[in-house]
Amino acid sequence: MIVFGIESSCDETAAAVVEDGWRVRSNVIASQVALHEEYGGVVPEIASRAHAECILPVVRCAIDEAGIALGDIDAIAVGHRPGLIGALLVGVSAAKALAWSLEVPLVGVDHIEAHLYAPLLDDVTWCSDAVYPALGLVVSGGHTALFRCTSPTAMERIGTTIDDAVGEAYDKVAAILGLAYPGGPVVDERGRRGNERAHDFPISRLSPVSLDFSFSGLKTAVLYAVKGVPGRGGWDANAQMELNESAIDDVCASFQRAAVGALMMKLKRALEQWESEAPKSLILGGGVSANSKLRAEVAALGNELGMQVRIPTMMYCMDNAAMIAGLGQHRLKSGKADGLDLCASPRGVHA
Ligand code: KG4
Ligand code: ZN
Protein backbone atom coordinates (compact mmCIF):
# COMPACT_ATOMS: atom_id res chain seq x y z
CA MET A 1 0.00 0.00 0.00
CA ILE A 2 1.32 3.46 -0.92
CA VAL A 3 0.39 6.34 1.37
CA PHE A 4 1.14 9.94 0.49
CA GLY A 5 1.77 12.09 3.58
CA ILE A 6 1.55 15.86 4.06
CA GLU A 7 2.81 17.86 7.04
CA SER A 8 2.47 21.65 7.53
CA SER A 9 1.81 22.16 11.25
CA CYS A 10 4.58 24.67 11.97
CA ASP A 11 7.52 25.89 9.88
CA GLU A 12 8.24 22.94 7.61
CA THR A 13 6.25 22.18 4.46
CA ALA A 14 6.71 18.46 3.92
CA ALA A 15 5.44 15.65 1.74
CA ALA A 16 6.45 11.99 1.60
CA VAL A 17 5.65 8.67 -0.02
CA VAL A 18 5.72 5.68 2.31
CA GLU A 19 5.06 2.10 1.25
CA ASP A 20 3.54 -0.45 3.62
CA GLY A 21 3.92 1.85 6.63
CA TRP A 22 7.71 1.63 6.82
CA ARG A 23 9.52 1.96 3.48
CA VAL A 24 10.19 5.64 2.84
CA ARG A 25 10.33 6.19 -0.92
CA SER A 26 10.60 9.97 -0.68
CA ASN A 27 10.73 12.50 2.14
CA VAL A 28 10.76 16.14 0.99
CA ILE A 29 11.01 19.02 3.45
CA ALA A 30 10.98 22.75 2.65
CA SER A 31 12.22 24.46 5.80
CA GLN A 32 11.22 28.03 6.62
CA VAL A 33 14.02 28.59 9.15
CA ALA A 34 15.56 31.40 7.05
CA LEU A 35 12.24 33.27 6.97
CA HIS A 36 11.72 33.23 10.75
CA GLU A 37 15.35 33.67 11.78
CA GLU A 38 15.26 37.46 12.09
CA TYR A 39 12.27 37.23 14.48
CA GLY A 40 13.90 34.58 16.68
CA GLY A 41 10.78 32.38 16.47
CA VAL A 42 8.03 31.22 14.12
CA VAL A 43 5.72 34.02 12.91
CA PRO A 44 2.38 32.31 12.18
CA GLU A 45 1.28 34.54 9.28
CA ILE A 46 4.64 34.22 7.53
CA ALA A 47 4.48 30.44 8.05
CA SER A 48 1.00 30.16 6.49
CA ARG A 49 2.00 32.16 3.42
CA ALA A 50 5.19 30.17 2.93
CA HIS A 51 3.22 26.88 3.18
CA ALA A 52 0.79 28.14 0.53
CA GLU A 53 3.71 28.94 -1.79
CA CYS A 54 5.61 25.71 -1.19
CA ILE A 55 2.94 23.04 -0.91
CA LEU A 56 2.50 22.25 -4.62
CA PRO A 57 6.23 22.14 -5.50
CA VAL A 58 6.86 19.98 -2.42
CA VAL A 59 4.04 17.57 -3.34
CA ARG A 60 5.35 17.32 -6.91
CA CYS A 61 8.89 16.75 -5.74
CA ALA A 62 7.83 13.95 -3.34
CA ILE A 63 5.99 12.16 -6.15
CA ASP A 64 8.91 12.54 -8.57
CA GLU A 65 11.53 11.42 -6.06
CA ALA A 66 9.50 8.34 -5.18
CA GLY A 67 9.29 7.47 -8.88
CA ILE A 68 5.54 6.93 -8.74
CA ALA A 69 2.55 8.26 -10.66
CA LEU A 70 -0.39 9.96 -8.94
CA GLY A 71 -2.49 6.92 -9.80
CA ASP A 72 -0.23 4.68 -7.68
CA ILE A 73 -1.28 6.45 -4.46
CA ASP A 74 -3.67 4.36 -2.33
CA ALA A 75 -4.41 6.89 0.43
CA ILE A 76 -3.60 10.41 1.65
CA ALA A 77 -2.50 11.07 5.24
CA VAL A 78 -2.23 14.58 6.66
CA GLY A 79 -1.04 16.05 9.95
CA HIS A 80 -4.19 17.91 10.99
CA ARG A 81 -3.45 18.68 14.66
CA PRO A 82 -1.95 20.18 16.79
CA GLY A 83 -0.23 23.18 15.25
CA LEU A 84 -0.66 26.69 13.89
CA ILE A 85 -4.15 26.79 12.46
CA GLY A 86 -3.31 28.81 9.32
CA ALA A 87 -0.36 26.52 8.63
CA LEU A 88 -2.36 23.31 9.18
CA LEU A 89 -5.15 24.50 6.88
CA VAL A 90 -2.78 24.64 3.90
CA GLY A 91 -1.75 20.98 4.32
CA VAL A 92 -5.28 19.80 5.12
CA SER A 93 -6.72 21.59 2.06
CA ALA A 94 -4.06 20.12 -0.23
CA ALA A 95 -4.65 16.64 1.23
CA LYS A 96 -8.42 16.89 0.72
CA ALA A 97 -7.97 18.07 -2.87
CA LEU A 98 -5.67 15.14 -3.61
CA ALA A 99 -7.89 12.56 -1.89
CA TRP A 100 -11.00 13.85 -3.66
CA SER A 101 -9.44 14.05 -7.11
CA LEU A 102 -7.71 10.65 -6.84
CA GLU A 103 -10.76 9.09 -5.17
CA VAL A 104 -8.67 7.54 -2.40
CA PRO A 105 -9.22 7.52 1.40
CA LEU A 106 -8.10 10.46 3.54
CA VAL A 107 -6.76 10.02 7.06
CA GLY A 108 -5.91 12.70 9.63
CA VAL A 109 -2.89 12.10 11.86
CA ASP A 110 -1.98 13.73 15.17
CA HIS A 111 1.46 15.33 14.82
CA ILE A 112 2.59 14.28 18.31
CA GLU A 113 1.56 10.65 17.83
CA ALA A 114 3.43 10.74 14.51
CA HIS A 115 6.65 11.85 16.23
CA LEU A 116 6.48 8.59 18.24
CA TYR A 117 6.15 6.64 14.99
CA ALA A 118 9.23 8.27 13.39
CA PRO A 119 11.77 5.82 14.95
CA LEU A 120 9.96 2.85 13.41
CA LEU A 121 10.35 4.10 9.82
CA ASP A 122 12.77 2.32 7.48
CA ASP A 123 12.73 -0.79 9.69
CA VAL A 124 11.06 -3.75 8.05
CA THR A 125 11.76 -5.97 11.07
CA TRP A 126 9.79 -4.20 13.80
CA CYS A 127 6.63 -5.84 14.97
CA SER A 128 4.07 -4.58 17.41
CA ASP A 129 4.54 -7.38 19.95
CA ALA A 130 8.26 -6.65 20.23
CA VAL A 131 7.89 -2.88 20.67
CA TYR A 132 4.71 -2.40 22.74
CA PRO A 133 3.80 -1.62 25.46
CA ALA A 134 6.27 1.24 25.30
CA LEU A 135 7.11 4.38 27.20
CA GLY A 136 7.13 7.30 24.76
CA LEU A 137 8.75 10.70 25.21
CA VAL A 138 7.99 13.50 22.75
CA VAL A 139 10.37 16.44 22.95
CA SER A 140 9.93 19.28 20.48
CA GLY A 141 9.67 23.03 20.12
CA GLY A 142 6.03 23.03 21.15
CA HIS A 143 5.61 19.86 23.22
CA THR A 144 7.20 17.84 25.99
CA ALA A 145 5.14 14.85 27.04
CA LEU A 146 5.32 11.27 28.26
CA PHE A 147 3.03 8.55 26.90
CA ARG A 148 2.08 5.02 27.81
CA CYS A 149 1.79 3.47 24.34
CA THR A 150 0.10 0.17 23.56
CA SER A 151 0.37 0.42 19.76
CA PRO A 152 1.35 3.07 17.17
CA THR A 153 -2.22 4.38 17.29
CA ALA A 154 -3.10 3.89 20.96
CA MET A 155 -1.46 5.89 23.71
CA GLU A 156 -2.29 7.70 26.91
CA ARG A 157 -0.51 10.86 27.99
CA ILE A 158 0.88 10.47 31.50
CA GLY A 159 2.87 13.69 31.82
CA THR A 160 3.30 17.02 30.07
CA THR A 161 4.96 20.38 30.50
CA ILE A 162 3.15 22.85 32.69
CA ASP A 163 4.87 25.80 30.98
CA ASP A 164 7.56 25.86 28.26
CA ALA A 165 8.44 22.95 25.99
CA VAL A 166 12.05 21.77 26.24
CA GLY A 167 12.83 22.84 22.63
CA GLU A 168 11.43 26.27 23.40
CA ALA A 169 13.80 26.47 26.40
CA TYR A 170 16.73 25.56 24.12
CA ASP A 171 15.68 28.27 21.65
CA LYS A 172 15.29 30.91 24.39
CA VAL A 173 18.63 30.08 26.01
CA ALA A 174 20.27 30.45 22.60
CA ALA A 175 18.57 33.86 22.20
CA ILE A 176 19.80 34.96 25.67
CA LEU A 177 23.34 33.99 24.62
CA GLY A 178 23.03 35.68 21.21
CA LEU A 179 23.36 32.35 19.36
CA ALA A 180 21.76 31.37 16.06
CA TYR A 181 18.10 30.35 15.62
CA PRO A 182 16.85 27.66 16.08
CA GLY A 183 18.88 27.27 19.25
CA GLY A 184 18.75 23.53 19.86
CA PRO A 185 21.51 22.36 17.53
CA VAL A 186 23.93 25.14 18.48
CA VAL A 187 23.36 24.84 22.26
CA ASP A 188 23.87 21.07 21.86
CA GLU A 189 27.15 21.57 20.03
CA ARG A 190 28.51 24.31 22.31
CA GLY A 191 27.42 22.36 25.38
CA ARG A 192 29.65 19.46 24.39
CA ARG A 193 32.67 21.75 24.75
CA GLY A 194 31.70 23.40 28.06
CA ASN A 195 31.88 22.53 31.75
CA GLU A 196 28.44 21.28 32.82
CA ARG A 197 29.21 21.98 36.48
CA ALA A 198 30.08 25.65 35.87
CA HIS A 199 26.53 26.72 36.87
CA ASP A 200 24.16 24.91 39.17
CA PHE A 201 20.93 25.40 37.21
CA PRO A 202 17.76 23.91 38.73
CA ILE A 203 16.25 20.60 37.67
CA SER A 204 12.51 20.93 38.16
CA ARG A 205 11.07 17.97 40.04
CA LEU A 206 7.58 19.40 40.74
CA SER A 207 6.06 17.00 43.30
CA PRO A 208 7.94 13.78 44.23
CA VAL A 209 5.59 11.69 42.08
CA SER A 210 4.79 14.13 39.27
CA LEU A 211 5.45 13.06 35.69
CA ASP A 212 4.97 16.64 34.46
CA PHE A 213 7.77 18.93 33.34
CA SER A 214 8.59 22.58 33.91
CA PHE A 215 11.30 24.48 32.03
CA SER A 216 10.46 28.13 32.68
CA GLY A 217 12.41 28.26 35.98
CA LEU A 218 15.47 26.85 34.24
CA LYS A 219 15.17 29.40 31.45
CA THR A 220 14.88 32.24 34.01
CA ALA A 221 17.89 30.90 35.95
CA VAL A 222 19.96 31.06 32.75
CA LEU A 223 18.70 34.59 32.05
CA TYR A 224 19.66 35.79 35.54
CA ALA A 225 23.06 34.06 35.41
CA VAL A 226 23.83 35.82 32.13
CA LYS A 227 22.26 39.25 32.69
CA GLY A 228 22.15 39.46 36.50
CA VAL A 229 18.96 39.67 38.58
CA PRO A 230 16.88 42.67 37.45
CA GLY A 231 16.38 45.36 40.10
CA ARG A 232 14.16 48.43 40.20
CA GLY A 233 16.23 50.23 37.64
CA GLY A 234 16.25 47.25 35.25
CA TRP A 235 19.35 45.18 34.45
CA ASP A 236 22.54 46.11 36.28
CA ALA A 237 25.22 46.32 33.57
CA ASN A 238 27.93 45.46 36.13
CA ALA A 239 26.27 42.16 37.04
CA GLN A 240 26.22 40.89 33.46
CA MET A 241 28.35 37.91 32.55
CA GLU A 242 31.21 38.51 30.18
CA LEU A 243 30.09 36.36 27.29
CA ASN A 244 33.36 35.08 25.90
CA GLU A 245 33.40 31.81 23.98
CA SER A 246 34.20 29.56 26.94
CA ALA A 247 31.60 31.29 29.16
CA ILE A 248 28.97 30.58 26.48
CA ASP A 249 30.07 26.94 26.23
CA ASP A 250 29.79 26.60 30.03
CA VAL A 251 26.26 28.07 30.14
CA CYS A 252 25.19 25.74 27.31
CA ALA A 253 26.70 22.70 29.05
CA SER A 254 25.17 23.56 32.43
CA PHE A 255 21.77 24.28 30.88
CA GLN A 256 21.89 20.97 29.03
CA ARG A 257 22.77 19.06 32.16
CA ALA A 258 19.63 20.44 33.82
CA ALA A 259 17.32 20.14 30.77
CA VAL A 260 18.32 16.59 29.86
CA GLY A 261 18.52 15.73 33.58
CA ALA A 262 14.86 16.72 33.97
CA LEU A 263 13.82 14.57 30.99
CA MET A 264 15.78 11.55 32.25
CA MET A 265 14.43 11.91 35.79
CA LYS A 266 10.82 11.83 34.55
CA LEU A 267 11.52 8.90 32.22
CA LYS A 268 12.86 6.93 35.19
CA ARG A 269 9.93 7.98 37.37
CA ALA A 270 7.48 6.85 34.71
CA LEU A 271 9.16 3.45 34.59
CA GLU A 272 9.05 3.16 38.41
CA GLN A 273 5.35 4.03 38.43
CA TRP A 274 4.45 1.76 35.52
CA GLU A 275 1.55 -0.55 36.26
CA SER A 276 0.46 -3.69 34.39
CA GLU A 277 2.60 -5.29 31.68
CA ALA A 278 6.16 -3.88 31.83
CA PRO A 279 7.19 -1.71 28.89
CA LYS A 280 9.34 -3.43 26.29
CA SER A 281 10.80 -0.27 24.82
CA LEU A 282 11.58 3.40 25.21
CA ILE A 283 10.47 5.50 22.23
CA LEU A 284 11.81 8.99 21.64
CA GLY A 285 10.53 11.52 19.10
CA GLY A 286 10.44 15.22 18.16
CA GLY A 287 13.05 17.81 17.23
CA VAL A 288 14.94 17.60 20.55
CA SER A 289 15.46 13.85 20.04
CA ALA A 290 18.30 15.04 17.75
CA ASN A 291 20.12 16.16 20.90
CA SER A 292 23.38 14.25 21.38
CA LYS A 293 23.26 14.19 25.18
CA LEU A 294 19.64 13.03 25.32
CA ARG A 295 20.24 10.33 22.70
CA ALA A 296 23.27 9.04 24.61
CA GLU A 297 21.52 9.04 27.99
CA VAL A 298 18.35 7.35 26.72
CA ALA A 299 20.46 4.70 24.96
CA ALA A 300 22.44 4.13 28.19
CA LEU A 301 19.23 3.82 30.23
CA GLY A 302 17.86 1.25 27.79
CA ASN A 303 21.10 -0.69 28.03
CA GLU A 304 21.09 -0.60 31.81
CA LEU A 305 17.48 -1.83 32.00
CA GLY A 306 17.75 -4.28 29.12
CA MET A 307 15.03 -2.42 27.23
CA GLN A 308 14.84 -1.76 23.52
CA VAL A 309 15.42 1.89 22.64
CA ARG A 310 13.82 3.47 19.59
CA ILE A 311 15.34 6.81 18.63
CA PRO A 312 14.64 8.37 15.21
CA THR A 313 17.47 8.72 12.71
CA MET A 314 18.41 12.40 12.45
CA MET A 315 16.28 13.12 9.37
CA TYR A 316 13.13 11.91 11.14
CA CYS A 317 13.70 13.90 14.33
CA MET A 318 12.54 17.14 12.76
CA ASP A 319 9.04 17.66 11.42
CA ASN A 320 8.52 15.48 8.34
CA ALA A 321 5.72 13.87 6.37
CA ALA A 322 7.14 10.32 6.33
CA MET A 323 6.06 9.88 9.96
CA ILE A 324 2.58 11.14 9.00
CA ALA A 325 2.26 8.73 6.06
CA GLY A 326 3.66 5.79 8.06
CA LEU A 327 1.28 6.27 10.98
CA GLY A 328 -1.53 7.09 8.54
CA GLN A 329 -1.36 3.56 7.17
CA HIS A 330 -1.81 2.11 10.69
CA ARG A 331 -4.81 4.37 11.30
CA LEU A 332 -6.35 3.25 8.02
CA LYS A 333 -5.72 -0.41 8.90
CA SER A 334 -7.54 0.08 12.19
CA GLY A 335 -10.54 1.59 10.41
CA LYS A 336 -9.86 5.22 11.31
CA ALA A 337 -10.23 6.84 7.86
CA ASP A 338 -11.69 10.35 7.78
CA GLY A 339 -14.04 12.11 5.41
CA LEU A 340 -13.60 15.34 3.48
CA ASP A 341 -15.03 17.13 6.52
CA LEU A 342 -11.73 16.50 8.38
CA CYS A 343 -10.90 19.60 10.44
CA ALA A 344 -7.57 21.19 11.24
CA SER A 345 -7.20 21.92 14.94
CA PRO A 346 -4.65 23.87 17.00
CA ARG A 347 -5.15 21.34 19.83
CA GLY A 348 -3.93 17.79 19.64
CA VAL A 349 -5.80 14.66 20.59
CA HIS A 350 -3.77 14.58 23.85
CA ALA A 351 -4.09 18.27 24.72
O1 KG4 B 1 9.69 18.67 16.27
P1 KG4 B 1 10.24 19.96 15.77
O2 KG4 B 1 10.95 19.95 14.43
O3 KG4 B 1 9.11 21.03 15.69
C1 KG4 B 1 8.05 21.07 16.59
O4 KG4 B 1 7.10 20.24 16.42
O5 KG4 B 1 8.14 21.89 17.52
O6 KG4 B 1 11.22 20.53 16.92
C2 KG4 B 1 11.91 21.75 16.79
C3 KG4 B 1 12.72 21.98 18.07
C4 KG4 B 1 13.36 23.37 18.15
O7 KG4 B 1 13.03 23.93 19.40
C5 KG4 B 1 14.85 23.07 18.03
O8 KG4 B 1 15.66 24.01 18.71
C6 KG4 B 1 14.93 21.71 18.68
O9 KG4 B 1 13.79 21.02 18.18
N1 KG4 B 1 16.17 20.98 18.34
C7 KG4 B 1 17.10 20.60 19.24
C8 KG4 B 1 18.15 19.98 18.52
N2 KG4 B 1 17.81 20.00 17.20
C9 KG4 B 1 16.59 20.60 17.11
N3 KG4 B 1 17.13 20.74 20.60
C10 KG4 B 1 18.22 20.26 21.25
N4 KG4 B 1 19.27 19.68 20.62
C11 KG4 B 1 19.28 19.50 19.27
N5 KG4 B 1 20.32 18.92 18.67
ZN1 ZN C 1 7.09 18.41 15.62
Side-chain angles (χ1 to χ4, degrees):
M1 180 177 198
I2 290 187
V3 178
F4 190 82
I6 295 181
E7 153 64 35
S8 69
S9 64
C10 190
D11 59 343
E12 264 101 27
T13 317
V17 173
V18 177
E19 194 173 344
D20 297 334
W22 68 274
R23 185 171 170 226
V24 181
R25 294 190 47 173
S26 67
N27 183 38
V28 177
I29 302 172
S31 170
Q32 301 175 8
V33 163
L35 294 178
H36 301 288
E37 204 167 12
E38 68 173 291
Y39 305 99
V42 177
V43 182
E45 185 56 24
I46 294 177
S48 311
R49 284 167 191 239
H51 284 305
E53 281 168 17
C54 290
I55 190 78
L56 287 181
V58 165
V59 163
R60 267 197 208 105
C61 188
I63 289 167
D64 290 348
E65 281 191 14
I68 59 162
L70 277 171
D72 296 328
I73 294 172
D74 296 306
I76 308 289
V78 61
H80 73 122
R81 63 184 176 188
L84 302 170
I85 191 69
L88 287 166
L89 281 169
V90 176
V92 170
S93 306
K96 284 182 184 179
L98 274 171
W100 177 76
S101 59
L102 297 174
E103 297 180 19
V104 295
L106 172 70
V107 63
V109 172
D110 183 275
H111 179 88
I112 302 305
E113 293 193 350
H115 269 308
L116 289 179
Y117 189 75
L120 303 173
L121 290 167
D122 283 336
D123 179 1
V124 66
T125 64
W126 81 267
C127 73
S128 208
D129 283 352
V131 174
Y132 301 96
L135 172 59
L137 173 64
V138 175
V139 278
S140 75
H143 302 270
T144 306
L146 279 167
F147 293 88
R148 200 189 302 257
C149 313
T150 43
S151 82
T153 56
M155 60 197 75
E156 177 201 355
R157 194 180 74 183
I158 53 175
T160 188
T161 179
I162 60 166
D163 42 53
D164 294 350
V166 63
E168 192 181 345
Y170 266 90
D171 294 339
K172 286 182 176 159
V173 164
I176 292 167
L177 295 170
L179 302 174
Y181 167 84
V186 58
V187 172
D188 182 3
E189 195 212 317
R190 307 260 333 212
R192 268 180 261 156
R193 301 203 287 262
N195 170 10
E196 63 174 26
R197 300 275 162 192
H199 304 274
D200 191 15
F201 293 137
I203 295 180
S204 165
R205 287 172 175 74
L206 299 176
S207 81
V209 292
S210 173
L211 296 179
D212 289 335
F213 303 90
S214 167
F215 292 101
S216 73
L218 171 58
K219 176 189 70 187
T220 307
V222 172
L223 179 70
Y224 288 0
V226 173
K227 295 211 184 274
V229 181
R232 275 208 184 153
W235 302 101
D236 173 2
N238 296 321
Q240 296 195 11
M241 185 186 287
E242 191 200 326
L243 281 181
N244 58 41
E245 297 301 310
S246 83
I248 292 176
D249 292 349
D250 287 351
V251 172
C252 290
S254 304
F255 161 75
Q256 260 201 142
R257 185 180 66 85
V260 174
L263 296 172
M264 295 308 298
M265 181 181 64
K266 296 300 165 88
L267 266 181
K268 288 176 195 162
R269 259 190 202 173
L271 291 171
E272 281 160 20
Q273 292 176 20
W274 198 278
E275 283 161 10
S276 68
E277 190 189 350
K280 293 176 183 149
S281 56
L282 291 171
I283 305 182
L284 198 59
V288 184
S289 60
N291 184 266
S292 57
K293 187 170 172 66
L294 181 61
R295 294 173 83 88
E297 294 200 12
V298 171
L301 179 65
N303 242 347
E304 184 190 320
L305 302 176
M307 284 173 76
Q308 226 190 104
V309 169
R310 293 285 183 159
I311 301 177
T313 52
M314 285 307 215
M315 68 185 157
Y316 303 136
C317 289
M318 67 190 301
D319 289 347
N320 66 83
M323 65 185 190
I324 301 287
L327 184 55
Q329 165 143 0
H330 287 272
R331 290 189 65 79
L332 285 169
K333 263 192 350 205
S334 50
K336 291 177 177 145
D338 291 285
L340 290 175
D341 57 350
L342 176 71
C343 288
S345 162
R347 292 174 76 85
V349 68
H350 302 286

